[in-house]
Amino acid sequence: MKPLITIVLYALITANLAYGNEALRSWNDTHSKQQIISFVEAVTIKESKDFVPIPERIAVFDNDGTLWVEQPAYTQLIFAMDRVKEMAGEHPHWKNTHPFKAVLEDDHQALVDSGAKEIMQLVMATHSGMNTEEFSSAVETWVKKTKDSRFGQKYPDLVYQPMLELLEYLRDNGFKIYIVSGGGVEFMRTFAEKVYGIPPEQVIGSSVKTQFEIVNGVPQLKRLPEIFHFDDKEGKPIAIQTFIGRRPILAFGNSDGDLQMLQWTAAGKHKSFCGLVHHTDAEREYAYDRESHVGKLDKAWKEADEKGWVLVDMKKEWKHVFSFDKQ
């Protein structure tokens, strides 16, 4: 007869596995799904040698290309381009100044060929010179009305259904979830809680400098055209330590910009999980990796193969990509 503790442990594992399969309902029963469930079991069952106390169950997710679409351009860049068109009347010189000229003429190739400095110029011009409330209001208005050109859906509907299920599964198992993204922190905070269930204080991203002012007796934070923190590549683990103060045990990304975040997670004292979304589905979403200008996946893919990180093949492993493509 098996010892009671063995029977109880087996029952717990079986129950947890069933719940994982039920929770991750848009995932096919593949290696990636089972790796996720096995990891969650290992760190949440008290009798497990890999058990991690709830306060240390930190999970971090990139946003663009990991939780929602990033093609044909980052959503925040599309917002900046729309803002250029709205603001052009106040800046007549833009029609003859690159990259603003390219935006106003819908010259997408010229924008693709632009360097990071010119793209940053666009962002700074459209994201600063106002207070934080004004900026949030502009983003909220844009998100509510703007639809993606390919799918005809608003951007909050272009989140990946399997990843929403993963977020829910982790929360139900005691994980505290953070977004750690190269996108603007104030941009993401306007929708993160409603779309992902992640509150603003658990959103980390790139940020501009702000300046405290009192305008007509009202304290305000004015957004300045200067970068405070660029939350990409090595900036991600730096931000995790600065703003979270705990090393994650789970990290999910999709590009080389997430590599250092995954390396930092894998080097912790606890059992860890590192995952990458591989965009392989040109029909339901997009197919891109090593040669892409947006969301390039090359070095991180190589390291994933070397270290046994989970590479999620979107086409093979997801029953649905978006909630609206369910049969």
Side-chain angles (χ1 to χ4, degrees):
M1 182 178 292
K2 294 181 179 180
L4 179 60
I5 185 64
T6 302
I7 296 173
V8 171
L9 182 58
Y10 177 78
L12 285 170
I13 292 174
T14 304
N16 209 23
L17 180 61
Y19 175 69
N21 279 320
E22 180 183 349
L24 303 178
R25 51 198 174 275
S26 294
W27 294 69
N28 288 318
D29 190 18
T30 59
H31 176 71
S32 295
K33 179 178 178 178
Q34 292 309 318
Q35 286 287 93
I36 292 169
I37 294 172
S38 296
F39 170 76
V40 172
E41 290 172 358
V43 299
T44 58
I45 296 175
K46 284 190 176 180
E47 292 79 7
S48 168
K49 65 180 178 61
D50 295 312
F51 175 76
V52 176
I54 287 178
E56 297 180 65
R57 293 179 202 167
I58 302 297
V60 292
F61 286 78
D62 170 56
N63 184 49
D64 296 306
T66 301
L67 296 178
W68 76 352
V69 294
E70 63 180 359
Q71 293 279 359
Y74 296 118
T75 303
Q76 190 169 355
L77 178 57
I78 297 172
F79 166 73
M81 291 162 61
D82 285 351
R83 288 274 295 166
V84 167
K85 294 176 181 179
E86 289 178 10
M87 299 167 62
E90 304 169 20
H91 304 274
H93 64 284
W94 281 359
K95 64 182 181 181
N96 296 313
T97 307
H98 188 74
F100 304 97
K101 182 176 184 291
V103 173
L104 296 173
E105 295 178 353
D106 291 320
D107 188 346
H108 296 157
Q109 187 57 51
L111 282 173
V112 169
D113 294 338
S114 298
K117 184 177 180 180
E118 291 176 319
I119 295 299
M120 189 58 66
Q121 187 180 357
L122 273 182
V123 174
M124 289 295 100
T126 57
H127 287 50
S128 61
M130 66 193 91
N131 64 45
T132 50
E133 286 79 10
E134 290 169 338
F135 178 74
S136 295
S137 178
V139 176
E140 288 169 359
T141 299
W142 184 84
V143 167
K144 286 178 182 177
K145 71 178 184 180
T146 307
K147 292 184 178 181
D148 171 80
S149 59
R150 174 182 171 184
F151 298 102
Q153 301 286 335
K154 294 178 181 179
Y155 286 98
D157 295 320
L158 294 177
V159 301
Y160 304 134
Q161 181 63 28
M163 298 304 281
L164 289 179
E165 294 167 6
L166 177 56
L167 296 178
E168 180 182 7
Y169 177 49
L170 293 174
R171 272 193 292 266
D172 288 344
N173 281 279
F175 281 78
K176 190 171 185 178
I177 301 168
Y178 291 81
I179 290 176
V180 181
S181 174
V185 63
E186 299 296 346
F187 182 85
M188 295 183 291
R189 282 174 174 169
T190 64
F191 58 80
E193 189 160 27
K194 183 177 180 180
V195 174
Y196 304 130
I198 299 175
E201 64 270 21
Q202 289 166 222
V203 177
I204 299 170
S206 298
S207 57
V208 298
K209 292 182 179 180
T210 55
Q211 177 176 291
F212 179 81
E213 297 180 341
I214 295 182
V215 180
N216 298 323
V218 180
Q220 298 181 357
L221 288 175
K222 183 177 180 180
R223 293 171 58 86
L224 304 177
E226 299 177 61
I227 289 290
F228 175 71
H229 172 69
F230 185 46
D231 197 50
D232 197 39
K233 298 181 180 177
E234 64 272 9
K236 291 194 173 190
I238 291 171
I240 288 169
Q241 181 60 29
T242 301
F243 298 110
I244 302 177
R246 290 185 187 271
R247 193 188 299 251
I249 63 170
L250 181 147
F252 238 109
N254 78 293
S255 72
D256 288 354
D258 303 310
L259 175 58
Q260 289 84 349
M261 179 171 76
L262 272 63
Q263 290 172 329
W264 179 248
T265 299
K269 65 180 181 179
H270 293 302
K271 182 180 180 66
S272 62
F273 179 98
C274 293
L276 288 162
V277 175
H278 187 191
H279 295 264
T280 57
D281 199 328
E283 182 178 346
R284 295 185 298 174
E285 201 241 11
Y286 295 94
Y288 60 97
D289 43 52
R290 289 190 169 98
E291 303 301 323
S292 179
H293 291 286
V294 177
K296 181 178 181 178
L297 178 61
D298 185 16
K299 294 179 181 178
W301 186 352
K302 182 176 183 293
E303 190 145 346
D305 286 342
E306 293 173 353
K307 296 188 175 180
W309 297 345
V310 172
L311 190 69
V312 178
D313 186 317
M314 181 183 287
K315 186 174 183 178
K316 294 179 180 178
E317 303 195 68
W318 287 358
K319 296 177 183 177
H320 313 289
V321 175
F322 307 113
S323 62
F324 59 81
D325 72 9
K326 292 182 180 180
Q327 300 299 318

